[in-house]
């Protein structure tokens, strides 16, 4: 079983603190910036960064839907980690300054992939598909914070 990884990044025309605060705001902002691939969004505990427990379903393909229950931590400044209680999936968001009034947001998701031929296709295609989903999410985030 090999680990599968998908990474996407975007430069956003807002300072790092503003971008991070928006990402960590599961009550107001996060639900607004999710793409159509996400459904059944619900904050179950907390709602602002560390200590949040959030649920959603992620439909990566027409046949593949993940039921996600995510525990949120903030291990370091500018870093938000979402660990799925229902799988090996871990998503890490890192927001850093990228010059005057701009920031760089990087999202990386890793999980234990399947074995065999199914695993080959998962390792080949899943990172690209998830990358497109997160690229759209980061675009939505940029639109939200650049207002």
């Amino acid at each position: 079983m090999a680990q599968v990884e998908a990474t996407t990044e975007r430069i956003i025309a807002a300072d790092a603190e503003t971008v991070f605060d928006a990402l960590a705001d599961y009550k107001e902002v996060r639900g607004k910036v999710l793409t159509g691939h996400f459904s059944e969004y619900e904050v179950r505990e907390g709602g602002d960064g560390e200590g949040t427990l959030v649920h959603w379903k992620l439909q990566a393909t027409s046949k593949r839907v993940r039921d996600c229950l995510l525990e949120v931590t903030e291990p370091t400044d500018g870093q938000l980690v979402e660990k799925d209680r229902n799988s090996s999936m871990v998503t890490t968001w890192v927001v850093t300054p990228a010059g005057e009034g701009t920031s760089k947001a990087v999202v990386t998701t890793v999980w234990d992939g399947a074995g065999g031929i199914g695993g080959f296709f998962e390792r080949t295609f899943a990172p690209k598909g998830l990358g497109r989903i997160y690229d759209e999410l980061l675009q939505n985030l940029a639109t939200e914070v650049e207002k």
Side-chain angles (χ1 to χ4, degrees):
M1 195 168 6
Q3 197 166 63
V4 183
E5 180 176 317
T7 300
T8 305
E9 64 182 58
R10 176 176 288 273
I11 300 296
I12 298 175
D15 65 77
E17 185 177 347
T18 299
V19 174
F20 183 83
D21 288 349
L23 264 178
D25 183 354
Y26 291 86
K27 285 182 187 170
E28 302 295 326
V29 178
R30 187 61 79 92
K32 287 196 287 189
V33 300
L34 293 177
T35 70
H37 298 89
F38 295 85
S39 63
E40 299 183 29
Y41 181 83
E42 177 187 18
V43 176
R44 296 197 177 164
E45 293 175 18
D48 184 23
E50 180 90 28
T52 296
L53 182 65
V54 64
H55 170 267
W56 60 61
K57 287 191 176 175
L58 171 59
Q59 183 156 2
T61 69
S62 61
K63 295 179 183 176
R64 181 70 174 127
V65 179
R66 279 186 185 259
D67 189 355
C68 303
L69 184 60
L70 304 150
E71 295 177 347
V72 179
T73 59
E74 293 183 34
T76 62
D77 284 350
Q79 185 180 50
L80 200 62
V81 178
E82 301 167 343
K83 291 183 181 175
D84 187 9
R85 287 185 179 175
N86 299 332
S87 73
S88 62
M89 189 169 73
V90 177
T91 300
T92 303
W93 301 85
V94 178
V95 180
T96 54
E100 181 93 23
T102 63
S103 57
K104 180 165 87 169
V106 180
V107 55
T108 302
T109 300
V110 295
W111 68 94
D112 296 331
I117 191 72
F120 169 78
F121 284 104
E122 182 180 24
R123 288 186 305 279
T124 303
F125 297 108
K128 291 176 183 137
L130 193 57
R132 282 191 295 273
I133 291 169
Y134 280 121
D135 189 53
E136 186 180 340
L137 190 156
L138 287 172
Q139 175 58 55
N140 293 347
L141 177 66
T143 299
E144 180 69 22
V145 298
E146 291 173 357
K147 289 180 181 172

